[in-house]
Amino acid sequence: MKLRIELTDGSSEDEVVIRCSNVDNNVRKIQEFISSLSVPKMTFYKNSQEFFFPIEDILFFETEGEQVFAHTPGDAFKVKHRLYELEELLPAQFVRAAKGTIVNTKQIYAIDRNLTSSSKVSFNGTHKHIYISRHYFKPLKEKMAQRGG
């Protein structure tokens, strides 16, 4: 593997380009590492308190009426973003699981596949679960295959 760094003048944003003949485990790890460097900072709300914790702790984001909640293994917190905004902000490990849900693939423990309707997704260390619609199942499975061990 070769590494080359090019300095450019006047660029408003740094850009990393990976040129490869195939996307193997090493390329995925590099991509994941670079993506983790730009993890957004987010504030979570519950009652009159503001919370600050890593977004990696989030199991999933879910809409309830007009509000969006971030679910951790033991709690739920309000966020001030819409799901479509979160899709733009969040790292690649977060993918849409249903019209009203974005899931953290790194927190998924099991998927109980149902061929005729929604499949049940279970998470590490909690009783919480979500259902993934058939429309979003294939992209989620692809992301799960990419995540590695």
Side-chain angles (χ1 to χ4, degrees):
M1 181 179 303
K2 295 188 311 183
L3 175 65
R4 184 175 75 199
I5 298 175
E6 296 176 7
L7 299 176
T8 58
D9 292 335
S11 179
S12 63
E13 184 176 15
D14 291 337
E15 177 183 27
V16 176
V17 177
I18 301 173
R19 289 190 180 94
C20 56
S21 58
N22 66 336
V23 179
D24 60 13
N25 244 1
N26 287 334
V27 172
R28 282 192 195 101
K29 287 178 184 177
I30 292 168
Q31 177 189 15
E32 196 171 293
F33 175 74
I34 292 170
S35 294
S36 73
L37 295 176
S38 62
V39 173
K41 305 293 182 234
M42 198 173 292
T43 305
F44 304 92
Y45 303 90
K46 186 164 186 160
N47 300 322
S48 62
Q49 291 183 297
E50 294 182 359
F51 296 86
F52 308 91
F53 52 84
I55 61 169
E56 291 83 13
D57 293 351
I58 302 297
L59 303 173
F60 59 95
F61 292 89
E62 183 175 51
T63 59
E64 291 181 26
E66 293 293 314
Q67 298 179 337
V68 176
F69 289 90
H71 289 262
T72 62
D75 217 336
F77 301 88
K78 186 176 175 184
V79 295
K80 292 187 177 180
H81 296 282
R82 300 276 189 209
L83 284 184
Y84 70 89
E85 295 170 328
L86 289 171
E87 281 184 300
E88 296 292 320
L89 291 172
L90 294 169
Q93 73 201 47
F94 288 87
V95 296
R96 187 70 78 139
K99 184 178 178 187
T101 309
I102 295 174
V103 64
N104 182 352
T105 59
K106 291 194 174 186
Q107 293 285 351
I108 293 176
Y109 175 72
I111 300 174
D112 186 12
R113 178 108 192 246
N114 186 332
L115 296 174
T116 58
S117 65
S118 299
S119 299
K120 182 179 176 181
V121 175
S122 302
F123 299 96
N124 292 314
T126 184
H127 67 283
K128 290 186 178 185
H129 62 272
I130 61 166
Y131 291 93
I132 180 167
S133 67
R134 287 183 300 152
H135 176 73
Y136 294 101
F137 186 80
K138 185 177 179 183
L140 175 68
K141 284 289 287 184
E142 290 170 358
K143 184 61 71 174
M144 294 297 293
Q146 291 175 5
R147 81 176 190 174

